[in-house]
DNA sequence: AACGCCTTCAGTGTATACATAAATCCACTT
DNA sequence: AAGTGGATTTATGTATACACTGAAGGCGTT
């Protein structure tokens, strides 16, 4: 793997997991020494992070980790509702019904995963990720898929702000199942509505349990 | 200005204006010599272009200019309808009515600009650009604005495929005026509908006058 | 004592030299 | 004659040296 890829992945993880807090200045020499690479691949990594919006160039004085405020979360979910609502509707029109029926079935059994032994709920998040991927594939629109992918980076960062307790995850699983069911039923408007409901519940939960860092 | 910025702007223009055709391989040494800079800033420019989707890295054999097919245009307008429809609705909710009323007035007089002396219709495109900027500012959602900005790069590229004759531009100006009017009237659903109508007409025009390069 | 200018330093911006990997072409073998 | 393997060449990937800009601190002057 290329050094710039490793640097990008490492910095991206550090930012998403809040190990690098907003406002932190990422000096080139400092970070390149920390990651054990030279400045050239590090600069490429920083470029990619800045293009994604995780960092911003502070006018010739290095790049700083972007802040995420409560207003940002509102804006983020406003765009998310637009994109994912449309995506769910398109998936209902174009998707493979059998696949989403299977996903619905698994999501209805998700409470078993949530109450299971794994505290990180790895299997649960993997299942939700499979639903996202299935929708991405079903819409067959690379531009829309790309826009959603770039959004998800910021969303993971926000999710780390909220406490994902078992009760919320169980409810979320049911909401995801409803989305999958609507897509499998080839009902675009229902799929969009189910997505809207899910996102509003998610946003309410994030804002309710938001813990300032 | 930084050398990497100049290289980025030059390459971006070359791609958008179809001077660099899809499939063209942008070798680092070749392009850096052509632009009179070294490979380092050129690489940064290529990174940014690739992040925007104007180029793709061809696995160890340089980056190539991305192709735009007819299906891409459909996908592009599908996303555009989603984003700009939402943006128009939000602008109707949050925008400054007086500003959009003024823009509507100017747009209704746009036929004068189109039939004017300037064959490039510089004043007309500047006016449409002001409408875009006004909507961007009104929505007060940086993530949505960012998504639309990255989309517009590809749209300019598509526009160069179509013949923007006076008749179409006159009709487009009227459609833009209708959008501005709906926003000024603080009617979100009407603003979204007017945007949908305008985009469908634009798409039809592009596909009708599309000239394969 | 406060304000302004100059010097110094730190850090990014750029160029170039070197390493590495992949693709192509030629030769050899089957 | 065709396919495969290796060598060469060409391109990207990385490191480092140098240049330039911007800032901060100290010293001098008012």
């Amino acid at each position: 793997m290329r050094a710039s890829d490793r640097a990008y992945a490492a910095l991206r993880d550090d930012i998403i997991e809040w190990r690098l807090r907003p406002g932190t200045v990422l000096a080139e020499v400092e970070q390149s020494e920390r990651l054990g690479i030279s400045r050239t691949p590090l600069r490429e990594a920083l470029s990619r992070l800045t293009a994604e919006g995780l960092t911003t160039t502070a006018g010739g004085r290095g790049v700083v980790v972007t802040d995420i405020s409560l207003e940002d979360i509102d804006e983020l979910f406003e765009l998310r509702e637009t994109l994912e609502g449309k995506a769910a509707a398109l998936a209902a029109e174009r998707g493979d019904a059998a696949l989403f029926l299977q996903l619905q079935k698994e999501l209805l059994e998700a409470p078993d995963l949530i109450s299971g032994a794994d505290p990180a709920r790895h299997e649960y998040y993997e299942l939700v990720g499979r639903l996202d991927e299935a929708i991405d594939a079903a819409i067959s629109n690379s531009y829309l898929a790309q826009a959603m992918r770039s959004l998800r980076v910021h969303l993971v960062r926000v999710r780390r702000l909220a406490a994902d307790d078992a009760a919320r995850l169980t409810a979320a699983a049911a909401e995801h199942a409803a989305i999958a069911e609507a897509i499998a039923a080839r009902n675009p408007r229902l799929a969009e509505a189910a997505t809207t409901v899910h996102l509003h519940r998610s946003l309410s939960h994030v804002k309710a349990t938001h813990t300032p860092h």
Side-chain angles (χ1 to χ4, degrees), chain A:
Chain A
M1 187 190 269
R2 299 186 308 176
S4 63
D5 290 338
R6 280 189 290 112
Y8 166 76
L11 287 170
R12 186 171 164 279
D13 264 25
D14 284 342
I15 294 173
I16 286 176
E17 302 290 339
W18 294 83
R19 286 188 294 267
L20 287 171
R21 303 269 286 279
T24 305
V25 179
L26 302 179
E28 294 185 0
V29 285
E30 170 196 354
Q31 293 299 317
S32 62
E33 284 172 5
R34 182 173 78 92
L35 298 170
I37 59 175
S38 84
R39 280 179 55 214
T40 309
L42 181 86
R43 281 174 68 90
E44 188 182 318
L46 291 177
S47 286
R48 289 166 67 181
L49 291 171
T50 301
E52 277 183 318
L54 288 179
T55 56
T56 48
T57 62
R61 205 64 178 180
V63 306
V64 298
V65 178
T66 310
D67 189 21
I68 280 200
S69 64
L70 273 180
E71 299 89 61
D72 281 318
I73 296 178
D74 280 329
E75 294 182 9
L76 214 47
F77 270 76
E78 199 166 74
L79 176 56
R80 191 185 181 193
E81 188 183 319
T82 308
L83 292 178
E84 297 207 7
K86 180 71 175 182
L90 286 177
E93 288 176 12
R94 304 170 184 168
D96 172 26
L99 170 61
F100 286 96
L101 213 57
Q102 169 64 24
L103 282 167
Q104 182 205 0
K105 184 161 158 286
E106 291 185 54
L107 281 162
L108 288 175
E109 294 164 359
D112 299 344
L113 302 178
I114 295 168
S115 59
D118 180 17
R121 276 99 175 193
H122 187 274
E123 279 187 287
Y124 167 75
Y125 284 116
E126 185 270 339
L127 176 57
V128 174
R130 288 222 318 276
L131 177 61
D132 279 342
E133 281 169 29
I135 294 176
D136 274 18
I139 58 180
S140 68
N141 183 325
S142 58
Y143 295 94
L144 178 53
Q146 171 61 29
M148 293 203 296
R149 263 196 301 275
S150 71
L151 242 192
R152 287 199 191 110
V153 178
H154 297 275
L155 288 170
V156 173
R157 207 173 161 208
V158 166
R159 197 170 69 192
R160 286 285 181 278
L161 281 176
D164 45 355
D165 51 289
R168 172 61 202 145
L169 288 186
T170 306
E175 292 158 19
H176 280 127
I179 295 172
E181 181 185 12
I183 295 175
R186 313 197 79 83
N187 189 331
R189 290 190 58 198
L190 181 59
E192 186 170 350
T195 303
T196 301
V197 168
H198 167 59
L199 292 181
H200 275 259
R201 297 250 170 87
S202 289
L203 177 56
S204 297
H205 177 72
V206 168
K207 291 174 98 166
T209 70
H210 169 265
T211 56
H213 266 65

